[in-house]
Amino acid sequence: MNIKRIFPFIIIAFFLSCNPNSGNSSKEQYIESMQKKESEKHDDLYANAGKLVSEIDFSIKATEEQKKDWEDGIIPWISLENAGTEINQLINADEIVIKNPSIHIIFDYPLNNPDTFEFKNEKGFSRKDLILLISKQYHEIYEEEEVTSDIKTIPVNKRTGLINRNETHGKYGIWGHDLSDLVLSGIEVHETNKGDINIILLVQS
């Protein structure tokens, strides 16, 4: 499997909570700004991605400890930071879900400067293949952001007001969330008129 960078697309991503710990006014302003940031990207994303051809979920089997919070034994997402440690819990991990040998995965959330990467595998891609390469790419994105930004990430124990990650101005312009906040619940597979496969990540935080 190999990888090369291609022209960036725009993606919509999803977030569940922003975890602010300040007053209601600050919380509402923060949520409003985040919603505005995402909605501005929505139309362009779907205009460029192509026709939706399938949706693929990523769920994991809960451990005995996790079943205290997930009575049905299913957690409807997998960690993007710790995919390697949760991979043995991934449901239908080895199922080939994309048969195309070449795919474009769009990385946008939580990035001000989205980027798209091409991945290749002659045998197609299983859920396991996808989550491991997506997780690896997110790690590289966050690492490169830290190196290229003059503004450094404030450690969690030194944050005041909103506990979310401060916005940095490196190559990707990451805002709002640490990698540890992010989980992948699914992907959308889109196909252009030229036959290119574009993957939209359904990322929650």
Side-chain angles (χ1 to χ4, degrees):
M1 192 178 297
N2 60 14
I3 174 176
K4 67 178 181 178
R5 185 162 311 190
I6 64 173
F7 186 80
F9 286 80
I10 300 180
I11 172 182
I12 181 110
F14 298 89
F15 61 93
L16 293 180
S17 65
C18 297
N19 295 324
N21 64 354
S22 58
N24 288 335
S25 178
S26 295
K27 176 179 179 179
E28 291 172 359
Q29 291 175 0
Y30 182 86
I31 293 175
E32 182 179 350
S33 67
M34 296 302 99
Q35 290 174 334
K36 181 179 180 181
K37 189 186 291 284
E38 286 306 309
S39 65
E40 288 173 349
K41 300 175 182 178
H42 181 274
D43 292 341
D44 286 338
L45 167 66
Y46 284 92
N48 290 308
K51 179 182 178 181
L52 176 65
V53 294
S54 67
E55 298 180 49
I56 300 162
D57 63 2
F58 287 78
S59 301
I60 64 175
K61 297 178 182 178
T63 63
E64 290 302 315
E65 180 66 23
Q66 291 170 332
K67 286 179 181 178
K68 295 177 182 179
D69 297 316
W70 303 92
E71 295 181 358
D72 63 355
I74 304 296
I75 300 175
W77 54 65
I78 185 170
S79 169
L80 282 169
E81 181 183 41
N82 302 310
T85 61
E86 295 185 354
I87 200 68
N88 291 333
Q89 298 171 250
L90 183 61
I91 297 171
N92 297 324
D94 295 321
E95 178 187 0
I96 300 297
V97 291
I98 299 177
K99 296 181 179 180
N100 301 69
S102 175
I103 58 176
H104 304 151
I105 300 182
I106 306 163
F107 291 81
D108 177 81
Y109 183 74
L111 315 179
N112 282 318
N113 306 318
D115 208 346
T116 299
F117 298 83
E118 183 180 14
F119 298 87
K120 292 184 177 181
N121 189 347
E122 293 181 359
K123 298 181 179 179
F125 299 84
S126 66
R127 282 185 177 82
K128 180 178 180 180
D129 293 329
L130 290 167
I131 185 57
L132 290 178
L133 64 85
I134 292 167
S135 174
K136 181 176 183 293
Q137 194 62 53
Y138 261 109
H139 276 274
E140 292 179 3
I141 286 171
Y142 270 77
E143 289 168 4
E144 191 167 4
E145 175 71 9
E146 198 67 21
V147 171
T148 57
S149 178
D150 291 334
I151 300 173
K152 299 305 178 182
T153 305
I154 299 171
V156 175
N157 61 359
K158 294 185 178 180
R159 296 176 190 175
T160 59
L162 299 176
I163 65 173
N164 293 74
R165 181 188 185 282
N166 57 297
E167 183 173 335
T168 50
H169 298 159
K171 182 174 182 178
Y172 298 100
I174 297 175
W175 55 271
H177 292 289
D178 299 295
L179 181 55
S180 59
D181 296 336
L182 306 183
V183 296
L184 183 72
S185 62
I187 64 173
E188 290 185 357
V189 182
H190 292 250
E191 184 174 4
T192 69
N193 293 333
K194 296 181 179 179
D196 294 329
I197 299 299
N198 294 318
I199 306 300
I200 294 177
L201 304 177
L202 304 183
V203 176
Q204 300 183 8
S205 55

